[in-house]
Amino acid sequence: KQEVTQIPAALSVPEGENLVLNCSFTDSAIYNLQWFRQDPGKGLTSLLLIQSSQREQTSGRLNASLDKSSGRSTLYIAASQPGDSATYLCAVRSPSASWGKLQFGAGTQVVVTP
Amino acid sequence: AAGVIQSPRHLIKEKRETATLKCYPIPRHDTVYWYQQGPGQDPQFLISFYEKMQSDKGSIPDRFSAQQFSDYHSELNMSSLELGDSALYFCASSLSGGLSETQYFGPGTRLLVL
């Protein structure tokens, strides 16, 4: 059974520092992994999708890496800004789960202080 | 760019009442997914539809039913509401339902059961 874990649960950094967010999964046989941002009480904004055949994806200040063999993905946010404050969730799609299902981690709550 | 539309955005119901949530996918997307996010929890997959047919089922209570219509919009019907049904309900859509496709999430419907 696939389990997705995000550590730490919360993170606070001063503005300008790089953010490193971790996501681990127990079953390496995944189709893809998606990173989301969620503001309090709001919807999920898709940030990056990494296919199982890829090792990284980049979008602006965001870079996500994927190491299937070790069951890990890392989201890097360069030069953090107060507007980056949000909860970041990773989710995997894998054959061990039902077809359409994204399995989410519990998220990392990020606060970027000015 | 057009996004996933959900209505209503907020809903307040009494116990044992019924509720209907609507989801309008991104144009040309033929696959719809429903997720439930309880307070402080990560989203849990409920059900999905591809080309108007149910494609997958997660932890959806028997009191809930859903369908996808000819214009690809979807409705989640919830009956005999319980206090524990209070949550944020997300709809997501993707193109073709392929395993490599990104799921785009709507803003959610916040349901409060009193």
Side-chain angles (χ1 to χ4, degrees), chain A residues 94-112:
Chain A
S94 56
S96 59
S98 47
W99 175 83
K101 178 179 180 178
L102 281 179
Q103 288 175 266
F104 285 83
T108 295
Q109 186 174 11
V110 171
V111 174
V112 180

Side-chain angles (χ1 to χ4, degrees), chain B residues 7-28:
Chain B
S7 67
R9 294 292 309 278
H10 303 273
L11 192 57
I12 300 176
K13 291 286 184 178
E14 301 276 341
K15 278 174 53 177
R16 293 179 288 277
E17 284 191 326
T18 61
T20 297
L21 279 54
K22 297 184 179 182
C23 169
Y24 298 86
I26 292 172
R28 295 190 299 117

Side-chain angles (χ1 to χ4, degrees), chain A residues 93 99, chain B residues 4 25-33 49-51 72 92-104:
Chain A
R93 198 166 184 183
W99 175 83
Chain B
V4 177
I26 292 172
R28 295 190 299 117
H29 282 195
D30 52 15
T31 306
V32 168
Y33 312 82
F49 294 88
Y50 169 63
E51 280 291 344
Y72 297 109
S93 74
S94 70
L95 183 62
S96 81
L99 295 169
S100 62
E101 294 295 327
T102 298
Q103 292 187 20
Y104 295 91

Side-chain angles (χ1 to χ4, degrees), chain B residues 10-70:
Chain B
H10 303 273
L11 192 57
I12 300 176
K13 291 286 184 178
E14 301 276 341
K15 278 174 53 177
R16 293 179 288 277
E17 284 191 326
T18 61
T20 297
L21 279 54
K22 297 184 179 182
C23 169
Y24 298 86
I26 292 172
R28 295 190 299 117
H29 282 195
D30 52 15
T31 306
V32 168
Y33 312 82
W34 286 97
Y35 291 84
Q36 176 192 57
Q37 186 178 30
Q41 298 179 0
D42 51 282
Q44 297 294 314
F45 173 74
L46 293 177
I47 195 167
S48 63
F49 294 88
Y50 169 63
E51 280 291 344
K52 294 153 277 184
M53 299 287 289
Q54 181 182 308
S55 55
D56 205 355
K57 193 172 182 179
S59 50
I60 183 169
D62 292 339
R63 299 177 288 108
F64 294 5
S65 65
Q67 58 181 324
Q68 186 179 32
F69 294 86
S70 58

